[in-house]
């Protein structure tokens, strides 16, 4: 009865307010315990004394906590960065029409340029798609060659313009032997190259010696593997492989559509763009049939992310369990350290210090270690994640940016609150000790 | 002015139920001083801790003026100790990482606002009066005599009515002991503080108004 309106109000809050409120709620236990424990007391000089007395052990505890928190924060930030990076890389690929088969395989080939042997779509299907009035770009693609490890992708000049937007340098290719390089390709505008047949170690450097391309432009960064690709007219790819160039004998050499069906050798996929969003759904529906399949790369990616989401939850849970276990170990260590400091704590009690003050000294000591470790872990996690992002980006060509997000802050806040509550155990244990026995050492 | 002490039928038992202290009667006038001597393990320190309300298994009556330490609830006992008692131990038991002033004003950490300031001011005065240099340096660098005087300043900073001293000169050489005994007796007499000192040190015991002897947990005639 009361919960429903509260939930409705919560749902009505903007996301930023929800995240901020959740952070505050998670920190409430820690703050409340701190206020109740420390109210009216000044234990910080003694806490500082304890921190200094066991400085090496304390540093070790802080590092242990920092590492465990850092792993949790890093995992979450990295996973989110990877998810966002892969989604961003697929943003420009609204709809793909390909021969029936695996959507995931085709997405990996067309969006992420992973080498694959895909069946070809017929000229009839291409013509049907290209002539559909709802379609503004229908770009055939062709791949299989490479330059210094960078894949050579044949496509239409319209798609290059759409993918890059304004080029960073030069212009889009207009003739069969012209090329545009991705933003991270190590070739300059004005240079010439001869593509190797194949990709990787198996590439044949001499198979296309007669085909020299001239680089006329460089794309702006897209944050996708296309940044490492060399884009050439699809006609050129067909031709150097001994196929028809997509145009008839009286072709004037202008690259790009329209292509003639009789001279269209086939394409593994058509990258389709419709001006209207609804049209994409209609196109997907129409071209999902016996001789073709149409899919949204974003939707396929979302399915993959959904599957990986379960793994993420398990990993997050494991990270939390690790953090709690490490902190439990640290708190056990604190109980031992508190015993080593028992004579001084017994002195306080002998002098008439209230039990709450002695509790406050030990609790604050633990809280400082936990909070310091957690903050350090937060920085460590983000730093490690940023470094890892660079490595993964360099290897996959997918721009991954792991930044500090609310989930990490929530994780750290929950961790701090939980462990600060647990820190009451060594603090309480200090009060149960025999004063006289501790005074005598 | 200090408080009077009146102990009646005090019995303290150990963890195994064995009686380790049996004092039928013991008294001290307000502002007086009492020395307690006896062999090691006789129960001197146990008596001192019992008088401070620190012993868990005690029966009988320990009356400081009209307040019965044994009858008090633990919280009230702690408050009574905080408000009326000062302690000096054999080992100064200082916080080594803190300065002399911070050690001497330790009680200010848990005292309320006005009293906090009074304790801090009192600690500074006591250190000055006892001739302890109270800069920012940590107490671990002080000599044994200076450390005991810091402990004495800590005990006196809260203006106690009772001072309990457990072998305060045991870890000091002769010269330092003499100086500490002089400080201890001069300050307690001037302020009228009731002083009870457990010691083997005849010089310290000689400075007390009265000395009792404990053997096997019982007072024995002098």
């Amino acid at each position: 009865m009361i919960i429903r309106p509260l939930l409705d109000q919560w749902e009505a809050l903007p996301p930023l307010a929800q995240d901020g409120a959740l952070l505050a709620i998670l920190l409430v236990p820690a703050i409340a315990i701190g206020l109740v424990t420390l109210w009216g007391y000044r234990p910080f000089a003694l806490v500082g004394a304890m921190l200094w007395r066991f400085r090496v052990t304390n540093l070790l505890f802080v590092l242990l906590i920092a590492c465990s928190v850092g792993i949790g924060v890093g995992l979450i930030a990295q996973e989110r960065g990877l998810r966002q990076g892969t989604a961003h890389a697929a943003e420009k690929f609204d709809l793909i029409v390909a021969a029936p088969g695996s959507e995931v395989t085709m997405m990996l080939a067309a969006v992420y340029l992973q080498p694959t042997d895909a069946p070809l779509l017929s000229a009839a299907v291409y013509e049907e798609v290209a002539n559909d009035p709802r379609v503004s770009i229908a770009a055939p693609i062709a791949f299989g060659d490479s330059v210094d490890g960078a894949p050579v992708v044949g496509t239409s000049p319209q798609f290059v313009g759409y993918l890059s937007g304004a080029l960073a340098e030069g212009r889009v290719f207009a003739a069969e032997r012209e090329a545009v390089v991705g933003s991270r390709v190590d070739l300059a505008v004005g240079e010439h190259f001869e593509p190797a047949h194949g990709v990787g170690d198996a590439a044949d450097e001499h198979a296309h010696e007669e085909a020299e391309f001239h680089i006329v432009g460089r794309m702006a960064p897209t944050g996708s593997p296309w940044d490492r690709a060399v884009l050439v007219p699809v006609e050129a790819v067909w031709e150097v492989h001994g196929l028809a160039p997509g145009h008839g004998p009286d072709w004037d050499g202008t690259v790009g559509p329209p292509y003639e069906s009789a001279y269209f050798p086939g394409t593994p996929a058509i990258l389709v763009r419709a001006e209207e969003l609804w049209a994409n759904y209609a196109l997907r529906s129409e071209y999902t049939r016996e001789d073709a399949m149409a899919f949204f790369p974003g939707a396929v990616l979302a399915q993959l992310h959904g599957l990986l989401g379960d793994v993420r939850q398990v990993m997050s849970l494991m990270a939390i369990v690790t953090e709690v276990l490490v902190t439990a170990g640290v708190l056990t260590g604190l109980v031992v350290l508190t015993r080593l400091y028992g004579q001084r704590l017994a002195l306080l009690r002998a002098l008439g210090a209230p039990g709450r003050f002695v509790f406050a000294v030990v609790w604050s000591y633990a809280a400082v270690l936990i909070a310091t470790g957690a903050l350090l872990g937060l920085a460590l996690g983000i730093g490690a994640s940023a470094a890892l992002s660079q490595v993964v980006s360099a290897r996959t060509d997918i721009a991954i940016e792991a930044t500090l997000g609310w989930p990490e802050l929530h994780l750290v806040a929950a961790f701090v609150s939980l462990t600060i509550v647990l820190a009451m155990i060594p603090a309480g244990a200090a009060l149960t000790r025999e004063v006289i026995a501790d005074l005598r050492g | 002015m200090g408080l009077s002490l009146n102990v009646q039928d005090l019995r303290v038992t150990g963890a195994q139920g064995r009686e380790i202290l049996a004092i039928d009667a013991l008294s001290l006038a307000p502002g007086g001083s009492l020395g307690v001597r006896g062999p090691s393990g006789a129960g001197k320190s146990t008596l001192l801790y019992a008088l401070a309300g620190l012993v868990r298994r005690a029966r009988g009556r320990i009356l400081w003026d009209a307040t019965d330490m044994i009858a008090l609830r633990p919280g009230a006992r702690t408050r009574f100790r905080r408000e009326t008692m000062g302690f000096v131990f054999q080992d100064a038991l200082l916080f080594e990482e803190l300065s002399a002033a911070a050690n001497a004003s330790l009680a200010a950490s848990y005292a309320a606002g006005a009293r906090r300031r009074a304790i801090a001011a009192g600690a500074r005065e006591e250190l000055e009066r006892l001739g302890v240099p109270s800069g920012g340096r940590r107490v671990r660098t002080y000599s044994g005599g200076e450390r005991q005087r810091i402990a004495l300043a800590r005990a006196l900073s809260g203006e106690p009515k009772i001072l309990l001293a457990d072998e305060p000169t045991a870890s000091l050489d002769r010269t330092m002991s003499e100086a500490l005994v002089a400080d201890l007796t001069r300050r307690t007499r001037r302020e009228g503080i009731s002083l009870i000192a457990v010691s083997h040190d005849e010089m310290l015991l000689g400075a007390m108004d009265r000395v009792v002897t404990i053997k096997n947990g019982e007072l024995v005639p002098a």
Side-chain angles (χ1 to χ4, degrees):
Chain A
M1 296 293 270
I2 301 168
I3 293 171
R4 191 66 243 171
L6 280 175
L7 284 175
D8 289 343
Q9 284 186 3
W10 177 262
E11 293 296 335
L13 287 174
L16 183 66
Q18 281 187 1
D19 285 327
L22 182 58
L23 182 71
I25 290 167
L26 287 170
L27 285 173
V28 161
I31 294 168
I33 292 170
L35 284 175
V36 171
T37 304
L38 298 174
W39 190 260
Y41 295 150
R42 294 185 178 182
F44 304 110
L46 296 181
V47 173
M50 284 183 83
L51 288 169
W52 185 252
R53 166 66 70 92
F54 306 116
R55 53 193 173 279
V56 176
T57 313
N58 290 333
L59 183 66
L60 190 67
F61 284 168
V62 165
L63 290 177
L64 271 173
I65 294 171
C67 284
S68 65
V69 170
I71 290 170
V73 167
L75 271 178
I76 293 177
Q78 189 61 37
E79 186 276 334
R80 188 184 56 246
L82 198 60
R83 203 157 22 95
Q84 289 174 342
T86 49
H88 175 69
E91 259 173 16
K92 290 281 179 107
F93 299 85
D94 299 350
L95 181 68
I96 292 174
V97 178
S102 162
E103 291 180 348
V104 174
T105 305
M106 212 53 236
M107 179 188 71
L108 290 173
V111 178
Y112 301 105
L113 300 179
Q114 297 298 304
T116 184
D117 290 324
L120 301 179
L121 273 175
S122 68
V125 174
Y126 174 78
E127 194 169 10
E128 195 180 342
V129 174
N131 293 331
D132 194 307
R134 295 163 294 186
V135 172
S136 59
I137 298 174
I141 55 170
F143 31 61
D145 294 339
S146 63
V147 183
D148 296 335
V152 172
V153 183
T155 187
S156 71
Q158 291 79 4
F159 185 73
V160 176
Y162 167 66
L163 184 64
S164 169
L167 292 194
E169 193 181 353
R171 58 174 174 80
V172 176
F173 49 72
E176 205 184 343
R177 289 291 184 267
E178 290 182 342
V180 170
V181 292
S183 62
R184 299 176 67 192
V185 172
D186 200 18
L187 289 168
V189 173
E191 277 192 73
H192 292 76
F193 68 88
E194 289 162 6
H197 182 69
V199 180
D201 294 339
D204 180 353
E205 298 287 340
H206 308 293
H208 305 313
E209 275 181 336
E210 78 291 350
E212 187 181 69
F213 286 83
H214 175 218
I215 299 167
V216 296
R218 178 182 295 280
M219 288 202 299
T222 65
S224 74
W226 288 67
D227 288 342
R228 191 80 81 178
V230 175
L231 280 62
V232 299
V234 68
E235 292 91 335
V237 177
W238 285 329
E239 200 163 42
V240 298
H241 288 92
L243 301 169
H247 304 278
D250 52 349
W251 176 42
D252 65 358
T254 305
V255 295
Y259 305 101
E260 289 180 50
S261 291
Y263 301 96
F264 189 90
T267 178
I270 310 165
L271 308 176
V272 178
R273 171 158 172 75
E275 289 300 339
E276 304 293 340
L277 181 65
W278 62 266
N280 281 314
Y281 287 92
L283 290 168
R284 184 182 65 164
S285 175
E286 280 177 34
Y287 293 102
T288 300
R289 59 195 197 195
E290 207 168 293
D291 62 340
M293 72 171 179
F295 63 94
F296 300 135
V300 175
L301 205 54
Q303 284 178 337
L304 279 177
H305 288 161
L307 283 173
L308 293 174
D310 295 339
V311 177
R312 180 183 74 227
Q313 283 182 342
V314 171
M315 286 171 76
S316 298
L317 186 66
M318 283 171 67
I320 291 170
V321 168
T322 306
E323 287 170 20
V324 172
L325 283 176
V326 166
T327 306
V330 167
L331 290 174
T332 308
L334 289 184
V335 172
V336 176
L337 282 189
T338 304
R339 282 183 189 170
L340 291 177
Y341 218 58
Q343 199 176 33
R344 297 299 182 280
L345 297 176
L347 168 74
L348 286 173
R349 295 170 70 193
L351 295 179
R356 184 165 67 87
F357 178 77
V358 179
F359 183 93
V361 170
V362 180
W363 179 85
S364 302
Y365 165 58
V368 167
L369 294 183
I370 290 166
T372 308
L375 286 175
L376 191 63
L378 192 62
L380 201 66
I382 292 299
S385 191
L388 193 59
S389 293
Q390 286 191 344
V391 173
V392 176
S393 292
R395 290 195 173 187
T396 62
D397 295 318
I398 298 169
I400 295 166
E401 208 172 320
T403 52
L404 182 63
W406 285 104
E408 293 86 282
L409 292 175
H410 293 154
L411 174 79
V412 173
F415 168 79
V416 166
S417 262
L418 176 65
T419 49
I420 272 181
V421 170
L422 291 175
M424 294 168 76
I425 296 170
L431 294 179
T432 62
R433 298 181 60 77
E434 183 80 46
V435 175
I436 296 173
D438 278 352
L439 273 177
R440 286 172 170 157
Chain B
M1 192 59 169
L3 303 184
S4 65
L5 171 66
N6 194 354
V7 176
Q8 298 166 10
D9 298 323
L10 173 63
R11 298 290 181 273
V12 175
T13 50
Q16 282 79 37
R18 189 173 65 88
E19 193 169 272
I20 54 176
L21 192 66
I23 307 291
D24 293 333
L26 181 66
S27 61
L28 178 68
S33 60
L34 175 70
V36 182
R37 68 151 66 92
S40 297
K44 305 187 296 294
S45 294
T46 301
L47 171 63
L48 202 71
Y49 293 140
L51 297 180
L54 289 168
V55 174
R56 284 181 180 171
R57 290 169 287 273
R59 288 180 288 118
R61 302 185 80 188
I62 299 171
L63 292 165
W64 287 105
D65 277 2
T67 304
D68 186 350
M69 285 299 275
I70 292 176
L72 286 178
R73 296 174 69 84
R77 210 180 292 156
T78 302
R79 192 178 319 116
F80 183 84
R81 206 160 50 238
R82 179 164 69 242
E83 291 170 355
T84 61
M85 290 183 181
F87 262 106
V88 181
F89 300 92
Q90 175 179 342
D91 178 345
L93 290 185
L94 301 174
F95 285 85
E96 305 295 336
E97 298 77 18
L98 300 182
S99 67
N103 269 287
S105 61
L106 193 61
S109 306
Y110 46 83
R115 181 151 169 77
R116 181 180 297 153
R117 285 186 290 278
I119 291 170
R124 278 195 301 274
E125 281 174 26
E126 290 298 339
L127 286 172
E128 202 176 309
R129 208 173 279 149
L130 293 168
V132 180
S134 59
R137 67 188 239 245
R138 291 180 184 152
V139 292
R140 69 172 59 184
T141 60
Y142 285 75
S143 71
E146 285 174 326
R147 290 165 62 83
Q148 264 316 24
R149 290 209 292 280
I150 293 168
L152 182 57
R154 179 179 66 197
L156 296 171
S157 64
E159 297 180 341
K161 294 180 170 64
I162 304 156
L163 187 63
L164 303 175
D166 187 6
E167 305 275 10
T169 59
S171 56
L172 304 180
D173 63 27
R174 198 70 210 157
T175 313
M176 286 180 179
S177 294
E178 283 172 4
L180 186 79
V181 170
D183 287 333
L184 194 62
T185 51
R186 186 169 54 243
R187 291 286 292 116
T188 51
R189 279 183 186 140
R190 196 174 72 192
E191 307 293 334
I193 298 168
S194 304
L195 169 65
I196 299 177
V198 165
S199 183
H200 288 100
D201 185 349
E202 288 302 325
M203 183 185 60
L204 171 62
L205 294 171
M208 300 292 106
D209 296 339
R210 190 158 65 94
V211 176
V212 294
T213 305
I214 290 188
K215 274 186 187 163
N216 298 323
E218 294 179 359
L219 289 179
V220 294

